[in-house]
Amino acid sequence: AAKAGGRGRYRFFSGDLLQAATDRRLLEDDLRDALARGELDLLYQPIVNCRTDCVTGVEALLRWTHPVRGPISPALFIPIAEEANLVQQIGEWVIRRACEDAARWPGALRVAVNVSPTQFTNEALPKIVISALANSGLPAGRLELELTEGVFLSESPDTDRMFGMLKDIGVRLALDDFGTGYSSLGYLKTAPFDKIKIDQSFVRGVTVPGSRNGAIIAAIVALAEALDMETTAEGIEAFDQLDLIRGLRVSHVQGWIYSKAVGRDVIMQKLETGDWSINPAGPARQRSE
Ligand code: C2E
Ligand code: MG
Ligand code: MG
Ligand code: MG
């Protein structure tokens, strides 16, 4: 058994892992040039107030079309960008581009941008945000930064200071993928979030009334309401899910049931044709029915 295990291990290291490491290095090299080559693009997915059915904003989602390999998921290349020290440069491009696009759309839609933990700990972030807002003319209140629980891993005075600086600028803050990370409720006491995004993994299990995931979502919503935060349920794909989620008093939803992420021109067109009703302020008005 030891021999077989040894051999298996040998094969593993010389094969898959080496291949993976080489692959990663090649991808890293390509990612270094991706921005300059125009291979990166931002798509936008609508976020809908499920009490009014109005679009209140969009989330910017990064796409990389590799010249040979085709589309590569941000779930794969963002971690590489983090390790290769490319995430600051790419992240800055994302913030600037999202602000420029959002400033052109009619109807005062909000735009949400994902900010990785490494970006969040970078001193330069507030300056980049201020400059992106000033250059684009987008009001600060229409930019939302989505952070994950990862920003609390290195809990330090700098974390609080960064939160303070971003709130002073006037941007909104959302806690992304809630419930999947190193969840501690402690940081909700002090971190100034405007919104909690309930991870898709909870939403996926909500297929029948009375599910365990439903109970967890209801508890998250109660917590968010008590702390005066909005909630967005991520990854809604089916109508029965949407109905159940609505019943749990979630304030906003996002998912393929409404739309996948689309280009800025499609967003522009949806807004101009009135295809989407928009309600940027998104008051929690109950539908009259
Ligand atoms: P996220 O911020 O939690 O984004 C939501 C993900 O769920 C997106 O995946 C979106 O396309 C996907 N999604 C939306 N609706 C549905 C649905 O109904 N069903 C299913 N199955 N999936 C749905 P995507 O675009 O592949 O992004 C993955 C992650 O990559 C994001 O998760 C975010 O953490 C990260 N990411 C994306 N863009 C950026 C960026 O510009 N900067 C940084 N730092 N991270 C980014
Ligand atoms: Mg997000
Ligand atoms: Mg998320
Ligand atoms: Mg996610």
Side-chain angles (χ1 to χ4, degrees):
K3 202 174 154 196
R7 234 201 250 138
R9 197 132 110 243
Y10 173 77
R11 201 182 315 131
F12 178 67
F13 279 118
S14 67
D16 296 354
L17 197 68
L18 185 64
Q19 184 58 45
T22 311
D23 239 50
R24 205 183 157 97
R25 203 150 336 108
L26 290 175
L27 268 189
E28 188 184 309
D29 285 344
D30 291 342
L31 191 53
R32 239 171 257 290
D33 305 322
L35 203 52
R37 288 199 201 132
E39 292 165 8
L40 296 184
D41 195 16
L42 265 193
L43 297 184
Y44 299 94
Q45 186 181 35
I47 299 172
V48 176
N49 180 325
C50 58
R51 292 161 192 172
T52 61
D53 270 338
C54 289
V55 177
T56 59
V58 294
E59 176 176 6
L61 293 164
L62 192 55
R63 295 292 177 260
W64 179 19
T65 309
H66 188 279
V68 177
R69 299 176 193 223
I72 299 180
S73 163
L76 187 79
F77 73 80
I78 290 290
I80 296 178
E82 293 233 17
E83 277 183 27
N85 261 322
L86 294 168
V87 81
Q88 306 300 347
Q89 192 194 357
I90 293 175
E92 175 168 353
W93 177 83
V94 168
I95 293 171
R96 291 186 184 280
R97 173 71 184 272
C99 289
E100 282 164 22
D101 287 348
R104 286 198 197 102
W105 294 326
L109 271 202
R110 281 182 198 146
V111 67
V113 172
N114 292 285
V115 171
S116 77
T118 328
Q119 281 177 276
F120 183 78
T121 48
N122 186 343
E123 282 287 313
L125 181 62
K127 270 197 213 117
I128 291 169
V129 169
I130 290 171
S131 151
L133 291 170
N135 288 343
S136 64
L138 187 75
R142 281 172 53 194
L143 176 64
E144 185 166 86
L145 304 182
E146 295 196 359
L147 309 168
T148 61
E149 290 160 326
V151 303
F152 297 104
L153 267 184
S154 59
E155 184 110 37
S156 72
D158 290 348
T159 313
D160 292 338
R161 228 167 49 87
M162 183 58 82
F163 274 119
M165 287 191 285
L166 294 173
K167 279 324 289 183
D168 285 347
I169 295 170
V171 295
R172 289 166 49 93
L173 299 174
L175 181 53
D176 203 356
D177 301 345
F178 184 73
T180 59
Y182 320 85
S183 302
S184 145
L185 296 180
Y187 52 69
L188 284 181
K189 276 192 304 199
T190 48
F193 289 109
D194 302 283
K195 168 180 274 192
I196 293 177
K197 299 193 78 174
I198 302 166
D199 192 71
Q200 205 168 300
S201 55
F202 296 108
V203 172
R204 210 174 292 132
V206 181
T207 47
V208 290
S211 65
R212 294 177 75 91
N213 278 346
I216 293 172
I217 292 177
I220 297 173
V221 170
L223 180 68
E225 280 180 355
L227 296 172
D228 205 20
M229 298 174 188
E230 296 176 355
T231 42
T232 297
E234 300 188 279
I236 312 250
E237 297 179 357
F239 281 107
D240 54 344
Q241 262 179 336
L242 181 60
D243 283 344
L244 291 165
I245 292 286
R246 273 210 179 102
L248 297 171
R249 297 162 44 86
V250 167
S251 68
H252 293 72
V253 288
Q254 181 180 354
W256 295 346
I257 193 166
Y258 285 102
S259 171
K260 291 199 172 184
V262 295
R264 56 181 170 182
D265 298 341
V266 178
I267 301 281
M268 178 68 99
Q269 181 201 327
K270 296 271 187 197
L271 295 175
E272 279 175 348
T273 57
D275 222 17
W276 286 348
S277 11
I278 39 173
N279 183 357
R285 179 163 50 84
Q286 293 290 336
R287 281 189 302 175
S288 48
E289 52 171 44

PDB file of all heavy atoms in Angstrom, residues 1 19 25 36 43 59 65 75 94 96 103 112 134-135 139-140 154 178 194 198 203 223 243 248 252 267 282 287:
ATOM      1  N   ALA A   1       0.847  -1.205   0.000  1.00  0.00           N
ATOM      2  CA  ALA A   1       0.000   0.000   0.000  1.00  0.00           C
ATOM      3  C   ALA A   1       0.880   1.253   0.000  1.00  0.00           C
ATOM      4  O   ALA A   1       0.618   2.205  -0.709  1.00  0.00           O
ATOM      5  CB  ALA A   1      -0.911  -0.011   1.219  1.00  0.00           C
ATOM      6  N   GLN A  19       1.981  20.499 -13.807  1.00  0.00           N
ATOM      7  CA  GLN A  19       1.205  21.038 -14.920  1.00  0.00           C
ATOM      8  C   GLN A  19       0.437  22.282 -14.470  1.00  0.00           C
ATOM      9  O   GLN A  19       0.447  23.316 -15.128  1.00  0.00           O
ATOM     10  CB  GLN A  19       0.225  19.966 -15.430  1.00  0.00           C
ATOM     11  CG  GLN A  19      -0.568  20.386 -16.644  1.00  0.00           C
ATOM     12  CD  GLN A  19       0.328  20.756 -17.809  1.00  0.00           C
ATOM     13  OE1 GLN A  19       1.285  20.056 -18.128  1.00  0.00           O
ATOM     14  NE2 GLN A  19       0.053  21.890 -18.427  1.00  0.00           N
ATOM     15  N   ARG A  25       1.767  29.856 -14.159  1.00  0.00           N
ATOM     16  CA  ARG A  25       2.803  30.818 -14.526  1.00  0.00           C
ATOM     17  C   ARG A  25       2.543  31.394 -15.918  1.00  0.00           C
ATOM     18  O   ARG A  25       2.708  32.577 -16.157  1.00  0.00           O
ATOM     19  CB  ARG A  25       4.195  30.167 -14.431  1.00  0.00           C
ATOM     20  CG  ARG A  25       5.276  31.185 -14.249  1.00  0.00           C
ATOM     21  CD  ARG A  25       6.500  30.672 -13.461  1.00  0.00           C
ATOM     22  NE  ARG A  25       6.259  29.559 -12.589  1.00  0.00           N
ATOM     23  CZ  ARG A  25       6.692  28.306 -12.826  1.00  0.00           C
ATOM     24  NH1 ARG A  25       7.354  28.022 -13.929  1.00  0.00           N
ATOM     25  NH2 ARG A  25       6.461  27.357 -11.951  1.00  0.00           N
ATOM     26  N   ALA A  36      -3.339  45.863 -21.301  1.00  0.00           N
ATOM     27  CA  ALA A  36      -2.817  46.642 -22.422  1.00  0.00           C
ATOM     28  C   ALA A  36      -3.343  46.120 -23.759  1.00  0.00           C
ATOM     29  O   ALA A  36      -3.541  46.886 -24.700  1.00  0.00           O
ATOM     30  CB  ALA A  36      -1.292  46.610 -22.411  1.00  0.00           C
ATOM     31  N   LEU A  43     -18.638  43.542 -17.576  1.00  0.00           N
ATOM     32  CA  LEU A  43     -20.053  43.330 -17.856  1.00  0.00           C
ATOM     33  C   LEU A  43     -20.826  43.741 -16.602  1.00  0.00           C
ATOM     34  O   LEU A  43     -20.243  43.876 -15.530  1.00  0.00           O
ATOM     35  CB  LEU A  43     -20.330  41.872 -18.213  1.00  0.00           C
ATOM     36  CG  LEU A  43     -19.647  41.330 -19.480  1.00  0.00           C
ATOM     37  CD1 LEU A  43     -20.108  39.906 -19.756  1.00  0.00           C
ATOM     38  CD2 LEU A  43     -19.898  42.225 -20.677  1.00  0.00           C
ATOM     39  N   GLU A  59     -24.136  45.214 -10.855  1.00  0.00           N
ATOM     40  CA  GLU A  59     -22.818  44.822 -10.356  1.00  0.00           C
ATOM     41  C   GLU A  59     -21.877  44.644 -11.537  1.00  0.00           C
ATOM     42  O   GLU A  59     -22.213  43.961 -12.514  1.00  0.00           O
ATOM     43  CB  GLU A  59     -22.884  43.513  -9.563  1.00  0.00           C
ATOM     44  CG  GLU A  59     -21.491  43.048  -9.111  1.00  0.00           C
ATOM     45  CD  GLU A  59     -21.492  41.802  -8.230  1.00  0.00           C
ATOM     46  OE1 GLU A  59     -22.568  41.199  -8.030  1.00  0.00           O
ATOM     47  OE2 GLU A  59     -20.390  41.441  -7.747  1.00  0.00           O
ATOM     48  N   THR A  65     -10.992  37.604 -21.868  1.00  0.00           N
ATOM     49  CA  THR A  65     -11.000  36.726 -23.033  1.00  0.00           C
ATOM     50  C   THR A  65      -9.568  36.511 -23.467  1.00  0.00           C
ATOM     51  O   THR A  65      -8.924  37.399 -24.029  1.00  0.00           O
ATOM     52  CB  THR A  65     -11.825  37.324 -24.184  1.00  0.00           C
ATOM     53  OG1 THR A  65     -13.110  37.695 -23.671  1.00  0.00           O
ATOM     54  CG2 THR A  65     -12.010  36.308 -25.297  1.00  0.00           C
ATOM     55  N   ALA A  75     -13.136  34.042 -11.090  1.00  0.00           N
ATOM     56  CA  ALA A  75     -12.888  33.198  -9.923  1.00  0.00           C
ATOM     57  C   ALA A  75     -11.520  32.531 -10.048  1.00  0.00           C
ATOM     58  O   ALA A  75     -10.869  32.218  -9.062  1.00  0.00           O
ATOM     59  CB  ALA A  75     -13.987  32.150  -9.788  1.00  0.00           C
ATOM     60  N   VAL A  94     -10.861  48.717 -13.243  1.00  0.00           N
ATOM     61  CA  VAL A  94     -12.262  48.334 -13.039  1.00  0.00           C
ATOM     62  C   VAL A  94     -13.046  49.493 -12.401  1.00  0.00           C
ATOM     63  O   VAL A  94     -14.138  49.845 -12.858  1.00  0.00           O
ATOM     64  CB  VAL A  94     -12.371  47.064 -12.151  1.00  0.00           C
ATOM     65  CG1 VAL A  94     -13.801  46.833 -11.691  1.00  0.00           C
ATOM     66  CG2 VAL A  94     -11.852  45.839 -12.898  1.00  0.00           C
ATOM     67  N   ARG A  96     -12.338  52.732 -12.350  1.00  0.00           N
ATOM     68  CA  ARG A  96     -12.466  53.880 -13.258  1.00  0.00           C
ATOM     69  C   ARG A  96     -13.475  53.613 -14.363  1.00  0.00           C
ATOM     70  O   ARG A  96     -14.325  54.443 -14.682  1.00  0.00           O
ATOM     71  CB  ARG A  96     -11.100  54.238 -13.866  1.00  0.00           C
ATOM     72  CG  ARG A  96     -10.138  54.803 -12.845  1.00  0.00           C
ATOM     73  CD  ARG A  96      -8.841  55.299 -13.490  1.00  0.00           C
ATOM     74  NE  ARG A  96      -7.904  55.748 -12.482  1.00  0.00           N
ATOM     75  CZ  ARG A  96      -7.962  56.936 -11.883  1.00  0.00           C
ATOM     76  NH1 ARG A  96      -8.917  57.804 -12.231  1.00  0.00           N
ATOM     77  NH2 ARG A  96      -7.088  57.270 -10.963  1.00  0.00           N
ATOM     78  N   ALA A 103     -21.746  56.774 -15.091  1.00  0.00           N
ATOM     79  CA  ALA A 103     -22.034  58.201 -15.186  1.00  0.00           C
ATOM     80  C   ALA A 103     -22.795  58.521 -16.473  1.00  0.00           C
ATOM     81  O   ALA A 103     -23.511  59.516 -16.547  1.00  0.00           O
ATOM     82  CB  ALA A 103     -20.738  59.006 -15.116  1.00  0.00           C
ATOM     83  N   ALA A 112     -22.052  48.658  -8.557  1.00  0.00           N
ATOM     84  CA  ALA A 112     -21.301  47.978  -7.512  1.00  0.00           C
ATOM     85  C   ALA A 112     -20.044  47.373  -8.118  1.00  0.00           C
ATOM     86  O   ALA A 112     -20.086  46.785  -9.196  1.00  0.00           O
ATOM     87  CB  ALA A 112     -22.156  46.888  -6.876  1.00  0.00           C
ATOM     88  N   ALA A 134     -14.306  61.856  -9.486  1.00  0.00           N
ATOM     89  CA  ALA A 134     -14.130  63.216 -10.008  1.00  0.00           C
ATOM     90  C   ALA A 134     -14.032  63.211 -11.530  1.00  0.00           C
ATOM     91  O   ALA A 134     -14.674  64.013 -12.206  1.00  0.00           O
ATOM     92  CB  ALA A 134     -12.876  63.854  -9.395  1.00  0.00           C
ATOM     93  N   ASN A 135     -13.250  62.276 -12.072  1.00  0.00           N
ATOM     94  CA  ASN A 135     -13.063  62.233 -13.524  1.00  0.00           C
ATOM     95  C   ASN A 135     -14.339  61.879 -14.271  1.00  0.00           C
ATOM     96  O   ASN A 135     -14.575  62.345 -15.381  1.00  0.00           O
ATOM     97  CB  ASN A 135     -11.975  61.231 -13.905  1.00  0.00           C
ATOM     98  CG  ASN A 135     -10.599  61.727 -13.529  1.00  0.00           C
ATOM     99  OD1 ASN A 135     -10.413  62.928 -13.278  1.00  0.00           O
ATOM    100  ND2 ASN A 135      -9.639  60.823 -13.464  1.00  0.00           N
ATOM    101  N   PRO A 139     -21.744  60.713  -8.856  1.00  0.00           N
ATOM    102  CA  PRO A 139     -21.865  61.040  -7.432  1.00  0.00           C
ATOM    103  C   PRO A 139     -21.427  59.854  -6.570  1.00  0.00           C
ATOM    104  O   PRO A 139     -21.712  58.703  -6.908  1.00  0.00           O
ATOM    105  CB  PRO A 139     -23.368  61.296  -7.248  1.00  0.00           C
ATOM    106  CG  PRO A 139     -23.911  61.542  -8.617  1.00  0.00           C
ATOM    107  CD  PRO A 139     -23.035  60.762  -9.557  1.00  0.00           C
ATOM    108  N   ALA A 140     -20.754  60.138  -5.472  1.00  0.00           N
ATOM    109  CA  ALA A 140     -20.187  59.078  -4.628  1.00  0.00           C
ATOM    110  C   ALA A 140     -21.242  58.063  -4.182  1.00  0.00           C
ATOM    111  O   ALA A 140     -20.980  56.868  -4.120  1.00  0.00           O
ATOM    112  CB  ALA A 140     -19.505  59.699  -3.406  1.00  0.00           C
ATOM    113  N   SER A 154      -7.032  40.186   8.365  1.00  0.00           N
ATOM    114  CA  SER A 154      -5.909  40.906   8.965  1.00  0.00           C
ATOM    115  C   SER A 154      -6.467  42.091   9.740  1.00  0.00           C
ATOM    116  O   SER A 154      -6.203  43.232   9.418  1.00  0.00           O
ATOM    117  CB  SER A 154      -4.968  41.411   7.879  1.00  0.00           C
ATOM    118  OG  SER A 154      -5.664  42.268   7.003  1.00  0.00           O
ATOM    119  N   PHE A 178     -21.802  36.792   1.952  1.00  0.00           N
ATOM    120  CA  PHE A 178     -21.965  36.654   3.403  1.00  0.00           C
ATOM    121  C   PHE A 178     -22.286  35.213   3.782  1.00  0.00           C
ATOM    122  O   PHE A 178     -23.121  34.566   3.169  1.00  0.00           O
ATOM    123  CB  PHE A 178     -23.065  37.583   3.913  1.00  0.00           C
ATOM    124  CG  PHE A 178     -23.213  37.554   5.408  1.00  0.00           C
ATOM    125  CD1 PHE A 178     -22.263  38.158   6.217  1.00  0.00           C
ATOM    126  CD2 PHE A 178     -24.281  36.914   6.001  1.00  0.00           C
ATOM    127  CE1 PHE A 178     -22.384  38.129   7.601  1.00  0.00           C
ATOM    128  CE2 PHE A 178     -24.410  36.878   7.389  1.00  0.00           C
ATOM    129  CZ  PHE A 178     -23.453  37.487   8.186  1.00  0.00           C
ATOM    130  N   ASP A 194     -23.706  49.069   4.153  1.00  0.00           N
ATOM    131  CA  ASP A 194     -25.056  49.482   3.772  1.00  0.00           C
ATOM    132  C   ASP A 194     -25.879  48.287   3.326  1.00  0.00           C
ATOM    133  O   ASP A 194     -27.096  48.372   3.217  1.00  0.00           O
ATOM    134  CB  ASP A 194     -24.986  50.494   2.614  1.00  0.00           C
ATOM    135  CG  ASP A 194     -24.172  51.708   2.996  1.00  0.00           C
ATOM    136  OD1 ASP A 194     -24.710  52.551   3.732  1.00  0.00           O
ATOM    137  OD2 ASP A 194     -22.987  51.798   2.581  1.00  0.00           O
ATOM    138  N   ILE A 198     -26.277  37.969   0.366  1.00  0.00           N
ATOM    139  CA  ILE A 198     -26.405  36.589   0.840  1.00  0.00           C
ATOM    140  C   ILE A 198     -25.932  35.649  -0.258  1.00  0.00           C
ATOM    141  O   ILE A 198     -26.441  35.672  -1.386  1.00  0.00           O
ATOM    142  CB  ILE A 198     -27.866  36.281   1.217  1.00  0.00           C
ATOM    143  CG1 ILE A 198     -28.331  37.263   2.300  1.00  0.00           C
ATOM    144  CG2 ILE A 198     -28.013  34.832   1.669  1.00  0.00           C
ATOM    145  CD1 ILE A 198     -29.831  37.280   2.511  1.00  0.00           C
ATOM    146  N   VAL A 203     -28.929  30.455  -1.297  1.00  0.00           N
ATOM    147  CA  VAL A 203     -30.091  30.633  -2.174  1.00  0.00           C
ATOM    148  C   VAL A 203     -30.397  29.336  -2.915  1.00  0.00           C
ATOM    149  O   VAL A 203     -31.559  28.959  -3.091  1.00  0.00           O
ATOM    150  CB  VAL A 203     -29.815  31.769  -3.179  1.00  0.00           C
ATOM    151  CG1 VAL A 203     -30.906  31.849  -4.228  1.00  0.00           C
ATOM    152  CG2 VAL A 203     -29.640  33.090  -2.447  1.00  0.00           C
ATOM    153  N   LEU A 223     -31.243  40.173  10.991  1.00  0.00           N
ATOM    154  CA  LEU A 223     -30.036  40.842  11.474  1.00  0.00           C
ATOM    155  C   LEU A 223     -29.780  42.128  10.675  1.00  0.00           C
ATOM    156  O   LEU A 223     -29.531  43.191  11.240  1.00  0.00           O
ATOM    157  CB  LEU A 223     -28.864  39.869  11.311  1.00  0.00           C
ATOM    158  CG  LEU A 223     -27.479  40.312  11.727  1.00  0.00           C
ATOM    159  CD1 LEU A 223     -27.417  40.463  13.239  1.00  0.00           C
ATOM    160  CD2 LEU A 223     -26.443  39.287  11.257  1.00  0.00           C
ATOM    161  N   ASP A 243     -39.990  33.440  -5.514  1.00  0.00           N
ATOM    162  CA  ASP A 243     -41.160  33.568  -4.644  1.00  0.00           C
ATOM    163  C   ASP A 243     -40.804  33.290  -3.191  1.00  0.00           C
ATOM    164  O   ASP A 243     -41.194  34.036  -2.292  1.00  0.00           O
ATOM    165  CB  ASP A 243     -42.263  32.595  -5.087  1.00  0.00           C
ATOM    166  CG  ASP A 243     -42.996  33.116  -6.312  1.00  0.00           C
ATOM    167  OD1 ASP A 243     -42.856  34.331  -6.603  1.00  0.00           O
ATOM    168  OD2 ASP A 243     -43.675  32.323  -6.979  1.00  0.00           O
ATOM    169  N   LEU A 248     -39.174  35.671   2.304  1.00  0.00           N
ATOM    170  CA  LEU A 248     -38.231  35.796   3.434  1.00  0.00           C
ATOM    171  C   LEU A 248     -37.840  37.252   3.680  1.00  0.00           C
ATOM    172  O   LEU A 248     -36.959  37.529   4.475  1.00  0.00           O
ATOM    173  CB  LEU A 248     -36.980  34.943   3.164  1.00  0.00           C
ATOM    174  CG  LEU A 248     -37.231  33.438   3.044  1.00  0.00           C
ATOM    175  CD1 LEU A 248     -35.987  32.709   2.564  1.00  0.00           C
ATOM    176  CD2 LEU A 248     -37.705  32.867   4.371  1.00  0.00           C
ATOM    177  N   HIS A 252     -33.441  42.884  -1.937  1.00  0.00           N
ATOM    178  CA  HIS A 252     -32.993  42.917  -3.335  1.00  0.00           C
ATOM    179  C   HIS A 252     -32.596  41.522  -3.814  1.00  0.00           C
ATOM    180  O   HIS A 252     -32.183  40.688  -3.003  1.00  0.00           O
ATOM    181  CB  HIS A 252     -31.791  43.845  -3.518  1.00  0.00           C
ATOM    182  CG  HIS A 252     -32.112  45.289  -3.303  1.00  0.00           C
ATOM    183  ND1 HIS A 252     -32.378  45.820  -2.052  1.00  0.00           N
ATOM    184  CD2 HIS A 252     -32.202  46.319  -4.164  1.00  0.00           C
ATOM    185  CE1 HIS A 252     -32.633  47.109  -2.170  1.00  0.00           C
ATOM    186  NE2 HIS A 252     -32.524  47.440  -3.443  1.00  0.00           N
ATOM    187  N   ILE A 267     -26.997  47.699 -21.292  1.00  0.00           N
ATOM    188  CA  ILE A 267     -27.571  48.412 -20.136  1.00  0.00           C
ATOM    189  C   ILE A 267     -28.175  49.737 -20.610  1.00  0.00           C
ATOM    190  O   ILE A 267     -29.316  50.076 -20.287  1.00  0.00           O
ATOM    191  CB  ILE A 267     -26.496  48.694 -19.062  1.00  0.00           C
ATOM    192  CG1 ILE A 267     -25.867  47.380 -18.564  1.00  0.00           C
ATOM    193  CG2 ILE A 267     -27.073  49.513 -17.909  1.00  0.00           C
ATOM    194  CD1 ILE A 267     -26.670  46.610 -17.568  1.00  0.00           C
ATOM    195  N   GLY A 282     -34.755  53.330  -4.640  1.00  0.00           N
ATOM    196  CA  GLY A 282     -35.139  52.017  -4.147  1.00  0.00           C
ATOM    197  C   GLY A 282     -35.726  51.985  -2.757  1.00  0.00           C
ATOM    198  O   GLY A 282     -35.301  51.202  -1.919  1.00  0.00           O
ATOM    199  N   ARG A 287     -45.353  46.461  -2.765  1.00  0.00           N
ATOM    200  CA  ARG A 287     -46.219  46.520  -3.934  1.00  0.00           C
ATOM    201  C   ARG A 287     -47.671  46.513  -3.474  1.00  0.00           C
ATOM    202  O   ARG A 287     -48.036  45.791  -2.561  1.00  0.00           O
ATOM    203  CB  ARG A 287     -45.953  45.335  -4.853  1.00  0.00           C
ATOM    204  CG  ARG A 287     -44.711  45.566  -5.685  1.00  0.00           C
ATOM    205  CD  ARG A 287     -44.601  44.514  -6.726  1.00  0.00           C
ATOM    206  NE  ARG A 287     -44.562  43.198  -6.099  1.00  0.00           N
ATOM    207  CZ  ARG A 287     -44.563  42.077  -6.811  1.00  0.00           C
ATOM    208  NH1 ARG A 287     -44.642  42.122  -8.116  1.00  0.00           N
ATOM    209  NH2 ARG A 287     -44.509  40.907  -6.203  1.00  0.00           N
TER     210      ARG A 287
END
